[in-house]
Amino acid sequence: MEAHYFNVNLDWTSDRKGKISSPELNKEIEVATPPVFPNGIEGIWSPEHLLTASVVSCFMTTFLAVADNSKLAFESFKCDSKGKLEQVEGKFLITEIILTPTLVITKESDRSRAERVLQKSEAACLISNSIKSNVILSPTITISEIVS
């Protein structure tokens, strides 16, 4: 595969806020310094939220591809995520991102395959592989209640 570029533009608007956009996309996102920092603003996406969102959304898209290739039947997938901000040796870092996917499968006999698909998805996620943060996977797999 040849190199691809993903274009994102930022325009500062006021205070500690700006808007990001892409010529490839149709929506802007307002971004700001998070409230844990001086003059931070509540209720607006921060770089820390966006980094965590990048990991969880990449995990989902990777999961969907791996599940499809593995012929894993599932009824639903959702994933919560949490990025941990710490100060390490005088620098602020997102040291870990915890992914807590909930996967509903249709057959108990698919449980071990579902676990492997989730593990493989985390290992193959290109965003997780591109960052220093420790990505922790804590899945829950349940069986759907299909009534015949």
Side-chain angles (χ1 to χ4, degrees):
M1 174 192 268
E2 63 183 73
H4 292 279
Y5 292 89
F6 296 85
N7 301 294
V8 175
N9 303 319
L10 176 115
D11 289 315
W12 170 75
T13 56
S14 66
D15 303 316
R16 300 283 176 110
K17 295 187 290 187
K19 291 197 178 201
I20 56 174
S21 62
S22 172
E24 300 143 4
L25 305 173
N26 59 7
K27 290 199 176 206
E28 286 184 336
I29 298 174
E30 188 173 39
V31 295
T33 302
V36 297
F37 292 109
N39 301 311
I41 302 169
E42 288 190 32
I44 299 175
W45 282 87
S46 69
E48 295 78 4
H49 287 102
L50 292 170
L51 176 62
T52 304
S54 292
V55 172
V56 72
S57 60
C58 183
F59 174 69
M60 179 203 69
T61 58
T62 305
F63 166 78
L64 294 173
V66 173
D68 186 42
N69 289 336
S70 301
K71 309 282 190 258
L72 176 67
F74 65 96
E75 194 168 292
S76 69
F77 172 88
K78 73 173 210 136
C79 189
D80 296 331
S81 61
K82 189 184 302 186
K84 181 180 181 183
L85 176 67
E86 294 185 288
Q87 193 167 9
V88 179
E89 297 176 4
K91 294 181 182 183
F92 287 102
L93 304 171
I94 298 291
T95 56
E96 64 185 30
I97 297 175
I98 303 163
L99 301 176
T100 54
T102 301
L103 178 63
V104 179
I105 56 176
T106 57
K107 299 184 292 192
E108 178 62 39
S109 60
D110 284 341
R111 183 179 295 277
S112 64
R113 185 159 44 123
E115 290 170 355
R116 286 191 309 273
V117 166
L118 287 166
Q119 292 293 331
K120 186 174 183 182
S121 299
E122 192 282 316
C125 174
L126 75 92
I127 301 297
S128 294
N129 291 330
S130 299
I131 62 174
K132 290 193 239 179
S133 307
N134 185 27
V135 178
I136 299 165
L137 185 64
S138 181
T140 299
I141 300 171
T142 59
I143 310 304
S144 66
E145 298 292 325
I146 298 177
V147 178
S148 301

